[in-house]
């Protein structure tokens, strides 16, 4: 398996795209934001900074719309002292506003909503910006720290049961329950789709890590896969023989495809012979999964949860699951699989009997 500098080519291209998008968003933000984003660059990814920029744009547009003293000033002309104006109540009102607001997009006005997770993310962006300028002693107070982060309610882990996994893969191979238009393309994609879904279910890698795989990243002798993790580092994950066989079946087909220039190294290709996109994988998972279950909304991330749950059930080792899934903090893993711990404790309680049943003594 080669681990040279070419492994991260796809991710470098994604960083380049995100950097260009970032410059576009920055042109709409106050000029002091440029200093902030330069300051956090060494410790954040381009994708994280872009997400913060989008969230901060919502905040500054909100200030522009609701604050009388700022209505006649373009957002990009706001001065740093605008942060000194922000009081605790302003941020609490902003969080309330995020529940439902309107945003002008081209010639239409669209309603936007934020769940607890969305509000927490936007608060994280605010906290990061205020903290940067406060530590740099450019503002005298760090107001967002006075406001509690939105409380996230635990959600049940949505995953496929073992029988549903088997049905899913069988249906991908057979093309059952697909529409006529879907069946037209099925013969061309089924080997690829089986390999892709088997890989996701057999390793728990993220969809972004999956689409970034190059041909030389796979070692069929050791069942090793070199991937570029979300945190920006490369690591090797290992896959079972069932995944190996599915990958080899597709690789034989992949050898016969002439990719579009610039996509020669990509392992998974689209029908256009380009590197398959995250969006395309999301669509194909949805297409197949809705024929297996209509009660669960299955996404690539839910396939990751399916793997994580199965691994934890088999091993009982939360640290192993965290390592394989690429979680930096085991508490992240523990939070997601706490329900399994609870079920284990309930099962243990049912195993212990202090007295025989009354009926047994009659």
């Amino acid at each position: 398996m080669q681990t040279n500098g070419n492994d991260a080519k796809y991710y470098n291209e994604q960083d380049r795209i995100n950097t260009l998008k970032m410059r576009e968003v920055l042109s709409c933000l106050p000029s002091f934001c440029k200093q902030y984003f330069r300051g956090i660059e060494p410790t954040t990814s381009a994708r994280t900074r872009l997400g913060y920029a989008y969230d901060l744009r919502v905040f500054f547009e909100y200030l522009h719309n609701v604050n009388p003293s700022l209505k006649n000033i373009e957002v990009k002309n706001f001065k740093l002292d605008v942060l000194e104006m922000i009081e605790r109540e302003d941020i609490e009102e902003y969080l309330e506003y995020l529940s439902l607001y309107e945003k002008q997009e081209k010639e239409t006005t669209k309603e936007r909503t934020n769940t607890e997770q969305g509000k927490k993310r936007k608060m994280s962006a605010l906290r990061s910006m205020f903290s940067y300028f406060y530590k740099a002693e450019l503002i005298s107070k760090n107001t967002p720290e006075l406001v509690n982060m939105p409380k996230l309610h635990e959600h049940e882990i949505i995953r496929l049961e073992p029988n549903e996994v088997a049905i899913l893969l069988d249906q991908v191979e057979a093309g059952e329950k697909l529409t006529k238009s879907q069946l037209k393309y099925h013969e061309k994609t089924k080997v690829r789709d089986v390999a892709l879904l088997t890989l996701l279910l057999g390793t728990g890698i993220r969809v972004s890590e999956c689409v970034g795989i190059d041909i030389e990243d796979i070692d069929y002798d050791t069942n090793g896969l070199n991937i570029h993790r979300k945190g920006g580092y490369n690591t090797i994950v290992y896959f079972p023989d069932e995944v190996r066989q599915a990958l080899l079946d597709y690789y034989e087909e992949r050898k016969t495809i002439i990719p579009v220039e610039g996509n020669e190294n990509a392992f998974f290709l689209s029908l256009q012979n380009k590197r398959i996109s995250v969006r395309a994988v999301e669509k194909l998972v949805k297409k197949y999964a809705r024929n297996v279950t209509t009660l669960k909304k299955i996404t690539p991330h839910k396939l990751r949860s399916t793997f994580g749950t199965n691994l934890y059930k088999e091993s009982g080792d939360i640290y192993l699951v965290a390592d394989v899934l690429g979680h930096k903090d085991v508490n992240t893993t523990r939070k997601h699989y706490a329900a399994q711990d609870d079920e284990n404790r309930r099962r243990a309680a049912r195993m212990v009997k202090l007295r025989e049943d009354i009926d047994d003594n009659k």
Side-chain angles (χ1 to χ4, degrees):
M1 183 189 307
Q2 298 179 23
T3 55
N4 55 38
N6 291 328
D7 290 336
K9 181 188 285 188
Y10 164 76
Y11 299 95
N12 291 336
E13 175 61 16
Q14 293 303 301
D15 283 347
R16 188 187 74 83
I17 293 170
N18 287 334
T19 298
L20 292 175
K21 289 180 179 178
M22 181 73 177
R23 289 175 183 171
E24 183 181 342
V25 181
L26 271 177
S27 68
C28 305
L29 292 177
S31 59
F32 59 79
C33 287
K34 293 179 182 178
Q35 178 184 347
Y36 158 64
F37 283 112
R38 282 196 302 270
I40 67 170
E41 183 172 0
T43 57
T44 56
S45 67
R47 183 178 177 181
T48 295
R49 293 193 298 278
L50 179 61
Y52 277 3
Y54 284 136
D55 289 338
L56 290 175
R57 182 171 65 181
V58 174
F59 174 69
F60 286 118
E61 287 175 348
Y62 165 78
L63 289 183
H64 179 266
N65 292 333
V66 303
N67 192 307
S69 64
L70 297 174
K71 279 194 172 182
N72 295 324
I73 305 174
E74 286 190 67
V75 168
K76 62 182 180 182
N77 293 328
F78 285 3
K79 302 300 181 186
L80 184 59
D81 60 9
V82 73
L83 301 187
E84 297 279 11
M85 298 166 48
I86 305 301
E87 301 293 342
R88 176 176 181 161
E89 187 177 1
D90 295 322
I91 295 179
E92 290 173 343
E93 289 177 352
Y94 170 60
L95 287 174
E96 183 181 23
Y97 161 83
L98 289 174
S99 298
L100 177 64
Y101 65 97
E102 292 184 341
K103 181 172 177 58
Q104 187 70 31
E105 294 185 4
K106 296 182 179 179
E107 297 179 359
T108 60
T109 300
K110 293 187 177 181
E111 282 190 349
R112 295 289 184 210
T113 60
N114 279 272
T115 60
E116 296 159 340
Q117 186 67 48
K119 291 181 180 181
K120 184 176 181 180
R121 192 188 67 238
K122 287 178 171 58
M123 270 296 290
S124 295
L126 268 188
R127 282 191 168 191
S128 176
M129 180 183 65
F130 270 80
S131 179
Y132 172 80
F133 287 115
Y134 181 71
K135 288 178 180 178
E137 299 182 330
L138 294 174
I139 58 176
S140 63
K141 57 183 181 179
N142 191 356
T143 309
E145 288 295 328
L146 303 177
V147 180
N148 292 330
M149 291 290 275
K151 180 177 175 59
L152 299 183
H153 292 87
E154 296 295 331
H155 296 288
E156 182 183 0
I157 298 175
I158 297 175
R159 59 188 179 274
L160 290 172
E161 297 299 328
N163 66 308
E164 292 174 327
V165 170
I167 293 171
L168 173 66
L169 295 176
D170 287 345
Q171 288 195 356
V172 176
E173 288 182 338
E176 294 178 2
K177 297 184 180 180
L178 296 179
T179 65
K180 287 184 179 180
S181 60
Q182 289 172 338
L183 281 171
K184 283 195 303 183
Y185 301 104
H186 181 251
E187 280 302 312
K188 296 179 181 179
T189 66
K190 71 175 181 180
V191 177
R192 180 203 68 187
D193 293 351
V194 168
L196 203 155
L197 290 173
T198 303
L199 177 63
L200 291 174
L201 286 162
T203 62
I205 62 174
R206 298 176 177 89
V207 63
S208 58
E209 296 163 350
C210 178
V211 301
I213 295 171
D214 284 342
I215 293 172
E216 63 267 25
D217 288 333
I218 307 173
D219 188 330
Y220 299 101
D221 293 328
T222 63
N223 285 15
L225 173 65
N226 186 58
I227 59 169
H228 191 78
R229 282 294 194 195
K230 182 180 178 182
Y233 62 95
N234 277 26
T235 191
I236 295 175
V237 298
Y238 295 92
F239 48 81
D241 287 338
E242 187 177 3
V243 173
R244 178 181 182 272
Q245 190 56 56
L247 293 175
L248 279 172
D249 289 345
Y250 174 63
Y251 184 44
E252 289 304 309
E253 184 178 281
R254 170 69 179 80
K255 290 176 184 177
T256 67
I257 302 173
I258 301 174
V260 172
E261 185 178 354
N263 296 267
E264 293 85 357
N265 294 325
F267 185 70
F268 288 113
L269 296 178
S270 68
L271 282 170
Q272 291 73 40
N273 296 341
K274 297 179 180 179
R275 184 185 296 274
I276 198 167
S277 68
V278 169
R279 180 68 182 133
V281 175
E282 290 171 343
K283 288 175 71 174
L284 77 86
V285 169
K286 180 180 178 181
K287 176 180 72 175
Y288 291 119
R290 65 186 170 199
N291 292 329
V292 176
T293 173
T294 57
L295 298 178
K296 305 173 186 175
K297 183 181 179 183
I298 301 300
T299 64
H301 191 74
K302 300 303 184 294
L303 301 186
R304 178 170 160 85
S305 296
T306 299
F307 169 82
T309 300
N310 290 339
L311 180 58
Y312 188 50
K313 278 183 176 179
E314 290 296 321
S315 68
D317 188 340
I318 200 70
Y319 292 94
L320 172 64
V321 178
D323 181 48
V324 174
L325 290 180
H327 289 162
K328 291 182 178 179
D329 185 354
V330 72
N331 288 321
T332 301
T333 320
R334 197 183 306 281
K335 180 179 68 175
H336 283 95
Y337 299 99
Q340 294 299 312
D341 279 335
D342 186 64
E343 176 56 32
N344 288 337
R345 287 191 291 268
R346 290 176 183 272
R347 190 156 48 87
R350 293 193 293 268
M351 292 177 182
V352 177
K353 288 187 177 182
L354 301 181
R355 294 191 294 172
E356 293 182 3
D357 293 339
I358 295 176
D359 288 342
D360 293 340
N361 292 323
K362 288 183 178 179

